[in-house]
Amino acid sequence: AKDSGKNQYKFYNQGLEKKLQLKQELESSLKTTSGRKSFEIYYQPKVNVHSKNMIGVEALVRWRNASGELIPPGEFISLSEESGLIIPLGEYVLTEACRQAVAWKESGHELILAVNVSIIQFEDSKFLSMLKRVLEDSKISPHMLELELTESVLAKDIEYARKLIEEIRLLGVKIALDDFGTGYSSLSYINGFPLDVLKIDQSFVRNMLRSKTDQTIIAAIIQMANGLNLKLVAEGVETQEHADELEKMGCEIMQGYFFSRPVTADTITSTLEESKSI
Ligand code: C2E
Ligand code: CA
Ligand code: CA
Ligand code: CA
C-alpha cells in the first residue's frame, strides 16, 4: 500500500510536469516562424451528397512535437486557451488555411474554407482587425471563408457576440454554429441571430440510428434551419446508413469519416486534380 501511494504521487507529479513541459514546448513553437511550421493543418472535406462534390473543407490543426509525433488538437487546444497562446495559434491557422484555399482557387477549385475560432480568440479585442488583415494579405474572397464558432460565444455575452458577428458578416465572411445542440443556447437565442450555417453535432449523428431521441433532435434542427433559412452541415457521418438517413431527413451537406478523414493539403489537391480529369 505504501509503495502504491508513492507511485501514485510520482504519477501525479509526472502528469503535472508533462503538462508544464507541453506548455513550454507549445510556447516556443509559437514564437518563431520556423517553430510555427510544427503546426500542421489537416483538411476534412464537406460533401454535397446530391451533387457528390466536395464543396468545402474544414481546417483542423495538429501539432508535430519535438519527438516527431503528431498530436491531436484535443491535447493542446485547451492548454493553449488557458495560456492565451490560442490567439497567435489561431491567427497562424487562419493565415495558412486562407493561403491554401487561394492556391486551390487559383488552380481552378473553389472550396468553402471553414476555420474554427475559439471563444478566447473571439473575445480578443484585436480579433476583427486581425481577420481583416488576413483577408487582405491572403486576397481570399471573403465569401469563401466560414468561421466555426461554438454556442459558448452566445452564452457569454450575447450582445457583444451579436455585434461582432454582424461586423464579421459585413466583411462577407460566413458564420457557422459548431457542435449545435450540445450547448446552452435556447431556440430563442438562435432566432434572429445573424448566422449562416448550423452544424449538427456528431454526438446526435452517432446515435441517431438507435436513439429515437437523437433522431428527433436532428429532425428538429433540420426543421429549424429550414425555417430560419440557415444552411446545414451534419458532422461525424461514419457510415452509409447515417448518410442515407440524413439525406432522407433533408440534410444535404455532410462531413465525416465515411467520406474522408482529415487529410493533408496535398491529399486534397490530388483529389481535386483527379475529379477534374474525369
Ligand atoms: P470540431 O470542430 O467539432 O471538429 C470535428 C472533429 O471531429 C475533428 O477532430 C474531426 O477529425 C473529428 N471527426 C470528423 N469526422 C468524424 C467522424 O466521422 N467520426 C468521428 N468520431 N470523428 C470525426 P479533431 O481534428 O481531433 O479536432 C477536435 C477539436 O479540436 C475540433 O472539434 C475543434 O473544436 C478543435 N480544433 C481543431 N482545430 C482547431 C483550430 O484550428 N482552432 C480551434 N480553436 N480549435 C480547433
Ligand atoms: Ca468545427
Ligand atoms: Ca463540431
Ligand atoms: Ca466538437
Side-chain angles (χ1 to χ4, degrees):
K2 205 175 165 193
D3 265 11
S4 79
K6 210 169 156 188
N7 282 341
Q8 248 176 338
Y9 176 70
K10 194 174 159 209
F11 190 72
Y12 173 68
N13 227 359
Q14 269 177 348
L16 264 183
E17 252 172 52
K18 221 180 150 194
K19 196 174 162 183
L20 264 173
Q21 196 195 333
L22 191 69
K23 199 182 141 202
Q24 274 165 3
E25 246 189 86
L26 263 175
E27 246 166 51
S28 67
S29 293
L30 279 165
K31 267 191 200 133
T32 60
T33 317
S34 63
R36 282 188 203 118
K37 296 220 165 70
S38 61
F39 295 95
E40 298 178 16
I41 304 175
Y42 277 53
Y43 297 88
Q44 187 178 36
K46 293 185 185 177
V47 176
N48 181 315
V49 289
H50 287 168
S51 67
K52 311 264 187 253
N53 282 329
M54 165 161 60
I55 57 150
V57 289
E58 176 176 0
L60 293 158
V61 69
R62 276 95 183 86
W63 181 37
R64 184 77 65 185
N65 72 1
S67 336
E69 302 159 300
L70 202 60
I71 316 286
E75 289 183 33
F76 64 89
I77 290 288
S78 64
L79 195 62
S80 49
E81 285 178 331
E82 282 169 30
S83 59
L85 288 170
I86 190 71
I87 292 175
L89 175 59
E91 176 171 352
Y92 174 72
V93 171
L94 184 67
T95 305
E96 203 42 38
C98 286
R99 193 197 53 70
Q100 183 61 63
V102 168
W104 282 323
K105 179 157 186 223
E106 283 172 352
S107 63
H109 307 283
E110 182 167 321
L111 296 172
I112 305 273
L113 170 70
V115 177
N116 292 287
V117 174
S118 152
I119 182 161
I120 307 294
Q121 290 175 272
F122 189 79
E123 287 176 339
D124 174 28
S125 61
K126 298 197 191 77
F127 181 75
L128 191 65
S129 57
M130 183 279 287
L131 176 62
K132 285 182 186 161
R133 180 159 30 83
V134 173
L135 290 175
E136 276 165 29
D137 291 352
S138 67
K139 304 193 172 57
I140 189 172
S141 322
H143 72 267
M144 283 168 58
L145 180 63
E146 199 168 279
L147 299 182
E148 295 193 358
L149 304 170
T150 57
E151 288 169 83
S152 56
V153 307
L154 310 191
K156 232 170 153 196
D157 182 344
I158 187 111
E159 276 324 306
Y160 172 81
R162 180 193 298 276
K163 262 206 199 123
L164 184 50
I165 288 175
E166 267 164 7
E167 290 193 83
I168 293 169
R169 289 178 84 237
L170 277 176
L171 301 172
V173 173
K174 307 271 194 306
I175 299 289
L177 213 48
D178 203 356
D179 302 347
F180 187 70
T182 60
Y184 331 78
S185 56
S186 71
L187 297 189
S188 58
Y189 272 21
I190 303 300
N191 191 8
F193 212 81
L195 299 171
D196 302 282
V197 183
L198 291 183
K199 289 192 82 176
I200 304 171
D201 188 66
Q202 50 183 277
S203 60
F204 303 120
V205 175
R206 188 177 309 131
N207 299 322
M208 65 180 287
L209 298 177
R210 53 173 188 270
S211 156
K212 191 81 196 133
T213 311
D214 286 330
Q215 197 170 13
T216 307
I217 291 171
I218 293 179
I221 295 175
I222 293 176
Q223 201 179 19
M224 193 172 93
N226 290 337
L228 298 174
N229 231 336
L230 300 173
K231 282 204 307 172
L232 262 177
V233 177
E235 65 177 9
V237 180
E238 292 187 355
T239 66
Q240 179 84 60
E241 290 71 38
H242 286 125
D244 289 347
E245 187 60 29
L246 285 161
E247 190 179 3
K248 249 193 276 168
M249 294 173 79
C251 183
E252 202 169 75
I253 301 169
M254 300 183 199
Q255 185 183 352
Y257 294 170
F258 175 58
F259 303 99
S260 169
R261 292 196 171 241
V263 293
T264 62
D266 285 350
T267 305
I268 297 284
T269 305
S270 307
T271 309
L272 291 168
E273 292 302 322
E274 278 163 32
S275 67
K276 196 152 85 171
S277 60
I278 293 170

